Each structure stands twice: as structure tokens, then as C-alpha cells.
Amino acid sequence: MKSTSSAAGLLAALLALAATPAGAAPGNGIRLGGSEGRLHPYLDVESRFDSNVYYAAPPPGGVVDVGYVGDLIVHIRPGFNLKVPGERVAVDLDANLDWAQYGGVQENASTDLSKLYGAASLGVTAYRRGTIGLELDDRFRRDPSTSTFVFSGAVISNKNDLSVRAPWRPGGGALVISPSFDWMLETFEPFNECAPGTPSPPASCDPDHLSNLGYNELRAGADARWRFLPRTSAVFAADWFSRVPNDTALATDVSGIEARAGLSGLVTPHLGATVKLGYANTLGSTAESYGTVLATLEGEWLASDSARIRVGWDHGFGMEPDPTYYLYTTDRIVLGARYALAGRYGARLDGYWERRGYAFVDGSPTADLLRIEPTIEAALSRWINLTVGYAYTSRASSFSDEPGYDYTKNEAWLRLVFTY
Amino acid sequence: MYRHTVFSRVYPGGEHLVSFRTLFGLLACALFASAASAQISTGQQKVTSDAEKLEASADHLARMKAALKNVLGRVEEARNEKDVVKLNCVNEKLTQIKALLKVAEQADISLHEAISNRDPGAEAEFSKVAIARAKIDALRGESDQCIGQLAYIVDEKTTVEVQQPSNLPDAAADVELFAGEARRGPPFPVPPVVRPPPASPGAR
């Protein structure tokens, strides 16, 4: 232990010595030694008002009277970003801690929801232009946001996604064939304690139950992209997947194959499109046979260099950590509009709608999510960025009308990022 | 009557048609003129002895072959990129370089022969080699320009990479909407939770 800390101290001292400030101006970063790499420490401060942080539990035997409580949440995120560009090896590392402080604006009790989160990502690219390259990406995130819909309330998700690809570019790069391997690990922790006196606490606040709902998801496959015109490609991707829950009594092991083929590129100088069609099958790993068509349609209008609009629809499938609602078919519509002005100001409008239809469950239950998010960004200076945003979220479920499954919320935020 | 002119009249007594002073003057001019010519043709070095001529000729040939190799590399590059415009442009220079190199190699052989035979034609052969080198140097430069002219044409092979700060407001990210990390959707909202227990016994 002592030797480890000594080594870490020595490494820190060496890095500190190697770091020579290339330019005194903030935003330029710290140049590491004589390399092209630059380290950018940053501080991200966000003040967000959430209209629906929690709801008051009805008294036992009382009338359900949901009283939504909002709060002001201040996020302080210190972090750093390291970028080392290079033809042979390029590295991109980003890490930050996130302290979320609940202000207790409407009710003091919400201050107990204050917690520490964090995120880190590492991208290493080797031989970017070589005949054979290597791309390694790892992303870790700990936050109360998860794509799982089966929980009746917020949970803390610890998710790590590791992806390794080896692009092979025979004949100059028009054709790229990339074998890939993905390993995703997600574990859950309670976001808050169960309300006192709850007879049968839900999984979302039961630490023992949640710890068993974690899972590993493995994917191995390959994708090919053949660029037969300067901006148009034929694409094909196929992979085998397996989702292995920590406890198969609480969630179901699902594995299978999926494949997609299609075209992606510019139809006219101002119009882009992606069309893909495929098929997925669980190959008998589920109690009943499951197979679904996969489809993707995307359109993009490039109005100018600084303005564009994208709309897409995707039909696919997904898995949840639940013994009943474990496999679903999903339809998603995504809208994205961007406008940049003078390189310093930007306006964005993002929209997302998703409907999940759970398979093998009587009554074909569904869960819907709608989110509209307009934001305005401004680069106040080379090292200060400001974002003002608003988001409307609506969530509905046909199988439950509990507040955790059926709610709306409004969020507004002001975010400042200081980057050295 | 005697008149001093460049071409004097012939006197019946057998005097010279051109005066000696004039003849010396013309000879001196011719010598200076030939020296200047030799300096131009050999580039920047003055070659006087036969051994130096042979050495300089070998050096010129080596440099011409290096230029040929360089341009051949550019042809290969253009061929790999399947860029017909670039290939035609560089091939044109290559053809001329090959022809000039052939002439220079033949002149080098003739130079060796002339020197061994003490033939005054050695100077002319050496000049051929030097002129060929000057022309090949120019063609090599033109082939570089040829690449340079194409560099701004943005196609699938010629790429321009601009690294801009990632924190600037952007028009869009060039990724597919449902690919990569976006495959599972955007960051999802935090669902509400049941009222948390009070922070302290006195709190609401």
C-alpha cells in the first residue's frame, strides 16, 4: 500500500515537472512535456430547477394525493480533459466528479438527496490511417439517469461501457471492415431510502434487491462500410449479444443475434439520408421465440453550414432487468435542430419520443417517454461557456399509474463551464 | 593615308587585313564569353578538370535518379488514391523526367569516352548532363505544385482536418442518430421518488 502511494506520488511529481504551461491564456490548456498533448482542467457549475424531484407518499389507507415537490439542484463538476492527438496514437481522456446539492427550496427534506456522482471516458485510437487500426473506448458514468423503465423511482446507475474495434481498410479506405467487441456492465444503488412504514418496499429503494439486478451485456460482431461515392456508403453490421444478469431469478438471461444493412449518405448537397433494415432473434434463449424486424430511417436537411435539421425513426428491441418485463420492442423518434451563429452562439432543439412494448406479457403493456429540450449556448470567451436550457418530460405507462411510472416534469437550467 | 579601322584595307604591299590589336581584343572577348557560358551550363560550380567533370556528372545523375524516385512515389500515391486527375498530372512530369534522364545517361557515357580519347567534345557532353539536371529539378518542382493544386479539392481521399475547441456551440455532430452511444437513447430524466425521510427530526 505504502509503495503504491509512493509510486503515485512520484508519478504526480513527474507529471507536474513535465507540465509546462504553453501559453498563459486560459483555454489553451497545459502542454504536457514536449508532446502535442494538452491538459484542460475545467469547472462546470450548473443550477437546475426540477419541478418534480419527489412526491409525497399518501398516508396508509389514505386517498392518493400526489403532491409533487420541486427543487433547485446545484451541480459542481470539477474535472479535466486530456487530448493527445497523433497519427500513430491519439488519446482522449475526460473525467469529472459531480456533486449535486439539493437546495431544499420547497421542502427541506429534499436536501437528503444530495449526492456525489462522476463520469470518465477514455478513447485511444492507434493507426488511424493505417491499413489496420485499433480503437478502444471506455465510458464510465455514475448518475441517477438510467435507460431502464421498470423501476418505480430513481436509482443510481453505475455503468461502464468498454468497446474495442479493429478497423481494417484494404485498398486505401473506401472499404472499412471493423470487427468489434463491447462489454457493458451496469449496477444499481438506491437513490433514496424507502419511505418508513412501506409494507413491501419497491426494488428501486431496496439495496439488496437492486444489487442483484446488475448485469453484464456482451456484444461481438463486425460492421462494414463501403464508401462507393464520396459522401455515400453502404453499411452492414451484424453481432451476437448476450445479457447476463447477476441473479437469474430476478432477471432473465437473453442472448441472440442481430444484423442490419443499408445505405447512408448525401442524396443531394443539402439532403442526407440513412436507410437500414435488419432482423434480430433471441435464438431460443427466451421462454418463447422472439424475433423482430429492425429498421432505421433518418433524414437530414443541411440548410446551410451553420443550420441543419435531423429527424429519425428507429424500430428495435431492448432488455430490462426484470423477470417479467425483460424484453421489449421499441419505436423511437428523434428530432435534432442546430443553429450556430458566428461560431460563438448556438441554438439547439432536441426532441425524443419512445414507446416500449413489452413482449411475453398479457395485455401488451407499453411505456412512453417524451422529451423536448431547447437550449441556447454561448461561448462568452475562449474559456467560459454558458448554456441556458429548458426541458419538458412526460412519462406514461399502460401497466401502472403510480407517480414513478406516470409523471411530467419541467426543468430549466443555467450552466457555466470554465475551461483552462 | 592610313586610317585605323577594324577591317583595314589591304595594301598592295601585303599588309594584314585586320590589325593585331583588334585580333587580340576579339580573342579576349571570345575567351570570356566561353567561360561565362560554362558557368551557366554547369549550374553553380565551375568545373575545370576532367576528373571534376566526371565527378560532377555522376553527382548530377544521382540527383536526377533521386528526383525520378520521388516523382514515382507521387505517381504511386495518386494511383493508390485512384485519383485520375492527380495521376495524369504527375505522369506527365514523369514521362519528361524519364526522357531527360535517358539523354543524361547517354551523355555521361559519351563524356567518359571523350575524356579518355582527349576529345574536345567532352565539354558539350558535360553541358548536356548539367542542362538535363536543371530541367529535371524544375519538373520535380512542378510535380510538387501538381499535388499542391489538388490539395484543396475535398473528396473522399484528400481530407482537411480542423481541430476546434470541443466546447464551442456546434451546428451538429456528424454521427448517426441511432449509432454508437446514441443506440440506447439520450440521457434519460431522473424519475421522481417517494418523499425522502427528513434530514433531521425537526425538519418537515
Side-chain angles (χ1 to χ4, degrees):
Chain A
M1 187 73 185
K2 192 179 174 183
S3 63
T4 310
S5 58
S6 303
L10 185 63
L11 182 64
L14 281 172
L15 282 173
L17 283 172
T20 52
N28 285 342
I30 300 164
R31 191 169 170 187
L32 294 178
S35 72
E36 292 293 315
R38 281 185 187 270
L39 179 73
H40 296 272
Y42 62 82
L43 179 66
D44 181 344
V45 182
E46 179 185 297
S47 176
R48 175 182 292 255
F49 179 76
D50 186 337
S51 70
N52 191 357
V53 170
Y54 71 87
Y55 57 95
V63 181
V64 175
D65 179 20
V66 178
Y68 290 113
V69 176
D71 202 358
L72 186 71
I73 308 150
V74 177
H75 288 269
I76 312 271
R77 301 186 186 98
F80 69 90
N81 177 263
L82 172 66
K83 278 192 172 143
V84 185
E87 281 295 313
R88 292 183 69 181
V89 179
V91 179
D92 193 343
L93 172 67
D94 189 280
N96 66 66
L97 291 172
D98 177 6
W99 175 256
Q101 178 64 48
Y102 284 70
V105 173
Q106 282 186 273
E107 289 203 17
N108 281 340
S110 61
T111 54
D112 278 2
L113 300 174
S114 303
K115 283 184 175 57
L116 181 67
Y117 305 110
S121 65
L122 170 67
V124 179
T125 306
Y127 299 103
R128 197 156 48 106
R129 296 186 189 280
T131 307
I132 296 179
L134 182 69
E135 294 170 8
L136 185 146
D137 281 292
D138 189 76
R139 290 170 193 278
F140 168 77
R141 178 177 283 178
R142 173 186 166 85
D143 63 18
S145 164
T146 174
S147 61
T148 301
F149 280 10
V150 293
F151 295 128
S152 62
V155 296
I156 296 174
S157 158
N158 301 297
K159 188 166 146 185
N160 191 74
D161 201 339
L162 172 68
S163 170
V164 182
R165 298 175 83 240
W168 176 42
R169 306 176 187 91
L175 174 67
V176 183
I177 299 168
S178 308
S180 62
F181 175 74
D182 284 67
W183 172 34
M184 188 170 73
L185 168 67
E186 188 170 18
T187 62
F188 303 103
E189 292 173 34
F191 180 68
N192 65 317
E193 294 175 26
C194 293
T198 310
S200 55
S204 60
C205 64
D206 183 347
D208 294 333
H209 195 163
L210 272 182
S211 64
N212 289 323
L213 290 179
Y215 63 88
N216 287 276
E217 188 177 314
L218 305 172
R219 282 177 185 271
D223 62 83
R225 178 176 287 269
W226 175 41
R227 198 177 290 174
F228 58 90
L229 285 174
R231 301 289 298 271
T232 309
S233 310
V235 288
F236 174 78
D239 59 54
W240 164 87
F241 63 89
S242 177
R243 178 131 154 173
V244 185
N246 290 354
D247 187 342
T248 50
L250 298 174
T252 307
D253 186 344
V254 182
S255 59
I257 53 165
E258 63 173 313
R260 287 176 193 256
L263 297 171
S264 178
L266 286 182
V267 180
T268 72
H270 290 281
L271 196 64
T274 299
V275 181
K276 290 185 197 170
L277 202 62
Y279 183 74
N281 199 299
T282 55
L283 298 177
S285 65
T286 48
E288 297 175 50
S289 172
Y290 177 84
T292 184
V293 171
L294 308 172
T296 303
L297 275 178
E298 281 181 39
E300 182 174 17
W301 179 45
L302 304 148
S304 68
D305 285 344
S306 56
R308 57 176 72 186
I309 298 172
R310 312 169 83 183
V311 182
W313 166 72
D314 182 73
H315 180 82
F317 73 102
M319 293 153 278
E320 301 248 18
D322 190 85
T324 308
Y325 299 86
Y326 66 91
L327 191 62
Y328 62 84
T329 303
T330 175
D331 283 288
R332 296 185 287 165
I333 294 175
V334 174
L335 164 74
R338 306 277 187 275
Y339 181 70
L341 182 65
R344 293 188 62 187
Y345 307 98
R348 304 164 62 132
L349 174 65
D350 291 303
Y352 183 78
W353 177 83
E354 179 172 3
R355 166 163 288 178
R356 295 181 181 183
Y358 292 93
F360 318 134
V361 185
D362 292 338
S364 302
T366 58
D368 296 345
L369 175 75
L370 171 69
R371 188 174 170 88
I372 306 288
E373 188 178 315
T375 50
I376 292 172
E377 299 169 302
L380 298 182
S381 73
R382 189 179 165 82
W383 59 288
I384 304 178
N385 271 59
L386 171 76
T387 307
V388 180
Y390 165 80
Y392 169 78
T393 305
S394 171
R395 166 101 178 262
S397 302
S398 69
F399 52 87
S400 174
D401 58 358
E402 282 184 38
Y405 294 109
D406 200 341
Y407 63 87
T408 60
K409 66 162 62 184
N410 294 282
E411 294 165 88
W413 64 90
L414 176 73
R415 186 177 180 186
L416 275 168
V417 183
F418 304 91
T419 308
Y420 183 80
Chain B
M1 190 175 71
Y2 174 74
R3 285 190 302 162
H4 181 75
T5 56
V6 174
F7 297 101
S8 309
R9 290 171 62 188
V10 178
Y11 288 93
E15 285 184 33
H16 297 286
L17 288 171
V18 181
S19 69
F20 283 110
R21 274 173 61 193
T22 307
L23 196 63
F24 281 131
L26 282 172
L27 192 61
C29 283
L31 282 172
F32 279 123
S34 66
S37 165
Q39 281 199 13
I40 289 165
S41 62
T42 55
Q44 289 152 351
Q45 62 187 134
K46 187 177 177 181
V47 178
T48 51
S49 71
D50 290 344
E52 281 175 350
K53 280 194 183 88
L54 290 174
E55 195 182 331
S57 178
D59 180 56
H60 290 332
L61 278 174
R63 285 177 186 275
M64 283 187 273
K65 283 176 182 169
L68 175 75
K69 198 175 170 185
N70 181 275
V71 178
L72 273 171
R74 296 204 183 282
V75 171
E76 184 66 24
E77 195 179 283
R79 191 168 285 140
N80 283 343
E81 292 185 357
K82 296 181 177 59
D83 189 330
V84 179
V85 179
K86 194 186 283 183
L87 187 64
N88 282 344
C89 183
V90 187
N91 251 338
E92 188 190 323
K93 314 298 172 196
L94 180 70
T95 309
Q96 293 181 52
I97 288 172
K98 277 181 180 172
L100 284 165
L101 186 60
K102 206 172 176 181
V103 169
E105 281 172 340
Q106 187 57 50
D108 185 58
I109 293 167
S110 301
L111 176 67
H112 278 79
E113 285 175 357
I115 286 175
S116 62
N117 296 334
R118 298 192 181 280
D119 187 339
E123 188 67 42
E125 298 303 330
F126 180 69
S127 295
K128 282 183 192 172
V129 176
I131 290 166
R133 182 197 162 174
K135 288 193 172 178
I136 285 179
D137 280 349
L139 284 166
R140 181 182 174 171
E142 282 172 23
S143 79
D144 287 343
Q145 288 291 320
C146 183
I147 305 293
Q149 284 168 5
L150 293 173
Y152 67 88
I153 298 173
V154 179
D155 56 12
E156 76 270 32
K157 297 300 174 193
T158 309
T159 58
V160 178
E161 289 187 7
V162 179
Q163 287 188 349
Q164 63 176 31
S166 55
N167 56 351
L168 287 178
D170 65 329
D174 284 330
V175 292
E176 290 178 18
L177 286 172
F178 301 102
E181 199 185 8
R183 188 174 58 192
R184 296 181 183 88
F188 287 86
V190 182
V193 294
V194 184
R195 177 204 291 271
S200 62
R204 282 181 62 192

